[in-house]
Amino acid sequence: MACPICNKETVQAYRPFCSKRCADIDLGRWLGGGYAVPSQDPEDAERAIEEAERATNKLPSRKH
Ligand SMILES: [Zn+2]
């Protein structure tokens, strides 16, 4: 099974996600409301992650 956020392999402790970060992102998606499920494109996933981080406003910004 793959993480629905970043498509990496799921980690048992955080399933269906690969990490707490992705679980938080999914939560942020629901809290933020109405932004689309990211495509399989890694760049889209990265963008979604950044948007989710802004939406939740509790995860540190990542430097690229
Ligand atoms: Zn993930």
Side-chain angles (χ1 to χ4, degrees):
M1 186 174 181
C3 174
I5 303 300
C6 70
N7 218 35
K8 291 180 183 174
E9 187 176 348
T10 295
V11 172
Q12 183 78 6
Y14 298 114
R15 66 180 180 176
F17 308 103
C18 71
S19 64
K20 186 173 190 303
R21 183 163 170 267
C22 283
D24 284 347
I25 287 166
D26 186 72
L27 179 63
R29 176 187 299 166
W30 285 104
L31 293 176
Y35 88 80
V37 176
S39 76
Q40 299 298 309
D41 186 324
E43 290 188 5
D44 282 354
E46 282 293 302
R47 196 178 312 126
I49 287 167
E50 288 171 6
E51 289 179 6
E53 286 178 346
R54 278 196 294 274
T56 58
N57 201 27
K58 65 182 180 181
L59 296 171
S61 298
R62 292 186 310 142
K63 302 285 193 289
H64 286 281

